[in-house]
Amino acid sequence: QVQLVESGGGLVQAGGSLRLSCLASRSIFSFNAMGWYRQGAAKQRELVAEVSFDGRTNYADSVKGRFTISRDNKNTIYLQMNSLKAEDTAVYYCNARTSLSDTWGQGIQVTVSS
């Protein structure tokens, strides 16, 4: 079973930065894509950013220019979050998908105070 472990969340003031990490139990290149989703209070889970195996990226309009998804050459993807806003407060989930499976991390809290 694939395991995804997020880290790097926490509390930050508006305008600040955080970097989330997601460590996968196997090579990130074994997935079609990996990404970050978030779910705020009383909201549906939504895509934040994703990166495909060949490096293509996709971002939600709400985070373009502020967030950057990246990866190392092995097992980890990152989400660099800059210029954070209160509306970015949510539980953030790492995701890995193939044509046959969809794996989620446990979620990590990001809270942005104003």
Side-chain angles (χ1 to χ4, degrees):
Q1 186 177 5
V2 176
Q3 300 286 336
L4 303 174
V5 180
E6 302 104 330
S7 62
L11 175 65
V12 66
Q13 290 188 325
S17 298
L18 285 173
R19 189 177 76 158
L20 304 182
S21 299
C22 174
L23 176 65
S25 59
R26 71 187 200 198
S27 172
I28 61 176
F29 297 97
S30 68
F31 303 108
N32 289 359
M34 296 187 69
W36 293 93
Y37 291 69
R38 68 187 181 189
Q39 186 169 8
K43 302 226 173 186
Q44 298 295 115
R45 191 173 299 184
E46 64 178 357
L47 173 70
V48 177
E50 62 181 0
V51 58
S52 66
F53 70 96
D54 60 353
R56 292 171 293 162
T57 58
N58 185 42
Y59 295 91
D61 287 343
S62 60
V63 307
K64 285 180 179 177
R66 299 189 298 121
F67 291 10
T68 303
I69 190 167
S70 62
R71 61 189 182 184
D72 66 10
N73 202 36
K74 295 179 179 178
N75 293 77
T76 306
I77 66 165
Y78 306 92
L79 185 68
Q80 179 66 47
M81 303 184 292
N82 298 327
S83 301
L84 283 160
K85 305 174 180 179
E87 51 262 45
D88 295 317
T89 295
V91 176
Y92 284 71
Y93 297 89
C94 184
N95 170 262
R97 61 179 172 88
T98 69
S99 60
L100 296 175
S101 64
D102 197 17
T103 301
W104 297 90
Q106 79 282 1
I108 189 165
Q109 180 70 46
V110 171
T111 302
V112 183
S113 62
S114 59

